[in-house]
Each structure stands twice: as structure tokens, then as C-alpha cells.
Amino acid sequence: MMSTPRLVLVACAIALVGQLALAGSVNYIPNGDFEAGYGHGTGIVLKTRNFTFFSAWDKSEAHQGKASMRIDPWGSLVTSAIPVPGGRKYTFSAWVKPSAAGTIKLAVHNVCEDLGAPRPKATTVPSTVPADKLPTYLEQSFKLVEGWQQIKISGTLSSYPTSDYHAMITATSVGLWADQLQLEEGDLTDFKPRSPLEIGLVCDKPSNIFLDGESVSMPLLAHNGSAKDIAGKIGYEVYDFLNRKVKAGTVDAAVRAGETWQGS
């Protein structure tokens, strides 16, 4: 008799002892260095994808640390919709390593009907529409040599129609690895994580689907990007496919500075 598939959705929240307030310039992208996995709504846009998202998380290649995301040619790595205060200048930056010399593209936009669609032509926008009533679409292509290099794009992000923004890296002519993504207000600064302790879940099951009888378990990662040891509790909630909470609890974690802790 065949096993019945069941979808398990896991929501993870963090409650730590000590202060985790963000000081100074804020990186709005959670887990931008992928040391704690690839979750938080980040996705891959690719017309024909024959690999899992888990397999694109590369723990053998990184600009700094031990992990990055691999993007195949003509694929895009896209963040979830990130809320930012509108009407201000922002900079989106990333460290990238092309598989060979080639062209890639950075984009930041708040239009999401089709993440893979090209930028609308300016001729389609009536000249009578005020600039603050137009969606924002920043885009720039870069010709890169081999090896790790940092690229960036800057501009004002409006609040129309909302101030929720996707940041996107597109591998055009060559594949690449991406690491240390940062969306910050103002000009470029050195990379810093959004939170001193970034947490995430990873799962090698396609779409996080488990069969009846299988142990439903995922590695829980916590990466300490600060210069101080951090100890506290990670809270979690587990929901079934009918959005019913089936479990909740906390996990104790003690993470040394610059290291990654793994639980389950």
C-alpha cells in the first residue's frame, strides 16, 4: 500500500536572552550570507528547473563563511517582499562569483506580477503621472571577470504602490554563486547580517513533503555573525497542511562568535 504524502509547514521564531537590536546601518535582507540556510522566502526563478532548492545551497563555495547560493544560467535568485521605509535612497549589493567571464544583472523592484518579466518600457507610462506615483524598478547589468567581486545598485525606492521590495540577482550568460546580499539605506557599507544571530531551517525533501511513517525532522541552523558568544532559546511552531498548529516549543542554543550551531 502506498504511503500518503503530507505537507508539513514549519514556522520559526526567535526569542533570545540579551539584546538583539540592530545597531547602525540595517541590512534588510535576513540571512543574506546563507550561513543558516536559504529560507525566509528567498526563491529561484528559472523556466526549466530540474533540481531542488536545497541542492542550490552550496556549502563548498563562499566569499566569506562556508555557504552561498548557486544560480544557473538564465536563472534568478529573488528575495521575498521586504518592507522598507519609502522615499529614501537604498543600496543593494552582493558578492558574486561567475563560473566564467560573463554578464549578470541586479534589480530591485516593487512590482511582482511576473518576477521574470522584463522592465516595462518608459513609453508605456503616461508623462502626466507624478514620479512618486510610479512603481520603482532599479536595474543594472554588469560584465564580470572570474573570481569573487562585489556589485551594487543604488536609487530611491518609492512607497507606490507599496514599499515592499524584491531584490533580484539574475545570471544571464553564465552561472554564478551569490553571497552576502545586503539591502541598506544610503550608500554601500561593509556587509553585516540583519541580526547578530540568524536562524533557518533546511530540508532535502522536495517542497518539504514527508511520507506517512517518515520521521519529520529538519536541521535547525543558527549562525552567530557577531564578535560575541550568544546563548538563548529558539522558539518554533509546527503546522500541518490544514494550517493547524500541531506542536510548539523552544530549543536551547549556545553559539560561539562566528560559528554555526545545528540542532533538529
Side-chain angles (χ1 to χ4, degrees), residues 14-100:
I14 189 166
L16 289 171
V17 177
Q19 185 177 2
L20 287 183
L22 299 173
S25 179
V26 174
N27 181 1
Y28 284 92
I29 299 177
N31 191 27
D33 58 2
F34 306 107
E35 295 299 306
Y38 48 82
H40 305 283
T42 300
I44 288 180
V45 177
L46 187 61
K47 187 174 182 180
T48 55
R49 176 159 67 93
N50 59 357
F51 57 89
T52 65
F53 200 31
F54 177 82
S55 67
W57 181 48
D58 195 334
K59 294 183 286 182
S60 65
E61 186 69 61
H63 172 254
Q64 185 171 325
K66 299 180 179 179
S68 65
M69 290 300 295
R70 189 187 72 253
I71 310 173
D72 282 358
W74 306 108
S76 297
L77 183 71
V78 187
T79 69
S80 61
I82 300 172
V84 300
R88 304 176 186 178
K89 177 184 176 181
Y90 290 87
T91 297
F92 172 46
S93 61
W95 282 89
V96 295
K97 180 183 178 181
S99 58

Side-chain angles (χ1 to χ4, degrees), residues 124 142 154 168 192 259:
T124 63
F142 299 83
S154 298
M168 180 164 58
K192 60 175 65 66
E259 295 185 1

Side-chain angles (χ1 to χ4, degrees), residues 6 18 49 69 111 122-123 128 133 139 159 188 191 241-242 246 249 254 264:
R6 53 186 175 133
R49 176 159 67 93
M69 290 300 295
V111 179
T123 53
T128 55
K133 297 300 181 184
E139 180 184 286
S159 297
L188 176 68
F191 174 83
F241 69 101
L242 293 177
V246 295
S264 179

Side-chain angles (χ1 to χ4, degrees), residues 136-154:
T136 303
Y137 201 117
L138 306 178
E139 180 184 286
Q140 185 174 341
S141 294
F142 299 83
K143 292 183 178 180
L144 303 179
V145 297
E146 294 183 54
W148 283 104
Q149 53 221 280
Q150 189 178 38
I151 54 177
K152 66 182 180 70
I153 186 172
S154 298

